[in-house]
């Protein structure tokens, strides 16, 4: 006998993320003899340890990876970075084997000298509390998520946290994640390093399996409606080799696992429930990427354009490639005293957002303009200039600001003994002067003695 399996004690829970979620655990029990053979050795070529998410990001949603240690924990980052890169490269290779058309969208950074997950944008976080604070399995996940949320709270990101500090934990639980919406961050998945029986980081074995398992939870999981969903948790209970089976032996290679046995529960199924394969946290490899180019007329007052998922952050990043077919929503953010005059290119209208489908190269732009324009009224002789709509009455020279694109009518009213001789400047003739404030205007009312 090589061991036994046991169902986990998953439990309903609410996180602080505003999502109805529950924590799902990958639990191990016992041990088996199959060695790991699948590891994809990877050297991390990042420079230094960054506690923050490095920018810029590649396009689209991102899985950002964090290595976290308690305040008093040993700093093993230099070694752990290579081990994490190796495990995740192994996960990536396994995912390609299971589905050649998709890959996980890990957040990378263009470190010189390597490619692939050697370029993982890996953060190193020293947590605010000592190891004892996180020691108990109960409540640990919530503590980690709340400690990390202030620095890692992007709507476009899922966060995979390697927690180094669970070594005395006898729970047998190797990782946890919030089961959350497939396309919306932030949400967290955690791997507890050092739990006896949960494998050793860097071998592409059980820690890699756990990473893949928790990431699937984080990008949709095994939803209600899946025919083989376990009665008491967001796992599959039909086959022990399924990645989303609730428990394993603790030392198997990820090679021995299958991404949704029968493709009928959570990945590539034909049912109407959530399908992890559709998650925007997966990059499509079966359709070409398409460039999106965004232009803005100016960045006066801090005006900019951003995409809903990380990518476009114009004026800094205005051209980027997106997955073919992905839907991108651009948001125009006018700066102080600025507004959207109009969208150009593939977008139109004057609203703040524009949605595009990246089934071909796309160009879009925004013309920003002032919220208001100055108007100057000069008076020669005896009389006043009024605007009934604005309650405006000017007896000498006046200046004011007028809402952009508003059309304003001015009337000239001579004083007793004076007659209106006509407009000068931006108005002509003797009739009421109507001006549209799409630019600065100056008008002069000339009165002559009778
Ligand atoms: Zn699980």
């Amino acid at each position: 006998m090589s061991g036994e399996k046991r169902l986990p004690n998953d439990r309903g829970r609410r996180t602080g993320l505003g999502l109805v979620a529950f924590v799902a655990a990958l639990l191990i029990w016992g041990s088996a003899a199959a060695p790991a053979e699948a590891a994809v050795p990877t050297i991390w070529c990042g420079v230094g340890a960054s506690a923050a998410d490095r920018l810029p990001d590649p396009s689209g949603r991102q899985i950002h990876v964090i290595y976290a240690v308690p305040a008093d924990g040993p700093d093993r980052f230099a070694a752990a970075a290579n081990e994490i890169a190796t495990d995740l490269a192994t996960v990536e290779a396994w995912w390609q084997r299971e589905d050649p058309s998709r890959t996980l969208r890990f957040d990378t950074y263009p470190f010189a000298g390597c490619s692939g997950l050697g370029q993982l944008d890996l953060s190193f976080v020293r947590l605010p509390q000592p190891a004892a604070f996180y020691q108990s399995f109960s409540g640990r996940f919530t503590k980690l998520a709340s400690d990390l949320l202030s620095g890692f709270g992007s709507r476009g990101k899922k966060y995979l946290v390697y927690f180094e500090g669970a070594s005395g934990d006898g729970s047998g639980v190797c990782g946890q994640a919030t089961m959350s919406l497939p396309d919306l961050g932030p949400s967290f998945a955690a791997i507890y390093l050092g739990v006896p029986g949960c494998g050793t980081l860097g071998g592409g074995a059980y820690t890699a399996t756990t990473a893949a398992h928790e990431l699937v939870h984080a990008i949709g999981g095994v939803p209600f409606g899946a025919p083989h969903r376990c009665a008491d948790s967001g796992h599959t209970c039909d086959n022990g080799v399924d990645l989303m089976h609730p428990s394993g032996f603790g030392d198997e290679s990820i090679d021995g696992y299958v991404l949704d046995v029968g493709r009928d529960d959570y990945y590539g199924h034909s049912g109407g429930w959530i399908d992890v394969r559709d998650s925007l946290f997966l990059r499509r490899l079966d359709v070409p990427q398409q460039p999106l180019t965004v232009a803005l007329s100016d960045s006066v007052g801090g005006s900019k354009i951003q995409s809903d998922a990380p990518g476009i952050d114009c004026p800094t990043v205005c051209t980027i490639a997106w997955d073919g077919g992905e839907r991108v929503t651009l948001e125009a953010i006018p700066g102080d005293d600025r507004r959207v005059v109009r969208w150009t290119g593939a977008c139109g209208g004057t609203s703040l957002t524009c949605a595009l489908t990246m089934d071909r190269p796309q160009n879009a732009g925004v013309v920003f303009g002032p919220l208001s324009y100055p108007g100057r009224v000069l008076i020669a002789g005896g009389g006043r200039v009024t605007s009934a709509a604005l309650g405006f009455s000017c007896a000498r020279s006046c200046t004011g600001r007028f809402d952009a694109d508003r059309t304003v009518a001015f009337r000239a009213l001579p004083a007793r003994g004076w007659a209106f001789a006509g407009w000068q400047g931006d108005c002509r003739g003797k009739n009421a002067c109507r001006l549209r404030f799409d630019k600065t205007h100056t008008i002069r009312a000339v009165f002559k003695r009778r």
Side-chain angles (χ1 to χ4, degrees), residues 79-242:
N82 294 333
E83 294 163 3
I84 289 169
T86 294
D87 265 12
L88 295 181
T90 307
V91 169
E92 202 168 53
W94 173 83
W95 202 287
Q96 292 279 286
R97 186 196 79 184
E98 292 296 294
D99 182 3
S101 76
R102 301 286 192 282
T103 189
L104 291 156
R105 289 175 158 275
F106 287 110
D107 188 354
T108 57
Y109 186 85
F111 297 120
C114 68
S115 60
L117 289 184
Q119 293 192 322
L120 196 65
D121 182 355
L122 177 63
S123 299
F124 172 58
V125 173
R126 193 163 274 290
L127 294 162
Q129 303 290 338
F133 178 74
Y134 308 99
Q135 185 57 42
S136 168
F137 163 71
S138 169
R140 179 193 295 143
F141 183 86
T142 307
K143 290 173 180 174
L144 288 174
S146 85
D147 284 348
L148 291 167
L149 190 58
S150 61
F152 302 94
S154 169
R155 283 182 307 156
K157 302 215 177 191
K158 304 280 187 181
Y159 297 96
L160 178 63
V161 182
Y162 285 86
F163 174 66
E164 185 97 76
S167 57
D169 172 7
S171 69
V173 177
C174 305
Q176 290 178 292
T178 45
M179 180 175 163
S180 48
L181 297 172
D183 297 331
L184 187 68
S187 73
F188 291 87
I191 297 164
Y192 301 142
L193 301 175
V195 175
C198 284
T200 305
L201 189 63
Y206 207 68
T207 50
T209 309
T210 306
H213 175 104
E214 303 305 342
L215 281 173
V216 167
H217 278 307
I219 61 175
V222 181
F224 291 104
H228 305 110
R229 191 179 196 272
C230 303
D232 61 345
S233 70
H235 295 102
T236 50
C237 276
D238 56 334
N239 195 318
V241 302
D242 197 303

Side-chain angles (χ1 to χ4, degrees), residues 378-385 394-397 413-421 444-449:
L378 303 173
I379 292 172
R384 290 183 297 133
V385 171
C394 177
R396 297 179 65 85
S397 292
L413 297 176
R416 184 182 295 269
W418 294 75
F420 181 51
R444 188 166 188 253
V446 179
F447 299 98
K448 292 219 159 78
R449 287 191 186 279

Side-chain angles (χ1 to χ4, degrees), residues 28 61 159 237 257 261 297 323 360 383 394 433:
I28 60 89
R61 287 161 179 79
Y159 297 96
C237 276
Y257 283 88
V261 173
S297 60
D323 274 10
R360 58 184 182 279
C394 177
C433 164

Side-chain angles (χ1 to χ4, degrees), residues 332-365:
I333 303 167
D336 293 344
D337 299 321
R338 306 289 286 174
R339 74 194 166 108
V340 172
V341 176
R342 64 182 176 277
W343 288 81
T344 60
C347 295
T350 60
S351 68
L352 291 177
T353 60
C354 168
L356 293 173
T357 301
M358 296 304 300
D359 50 4
R360 58 184 182 279
Q362 297 277 22
N363 289 280

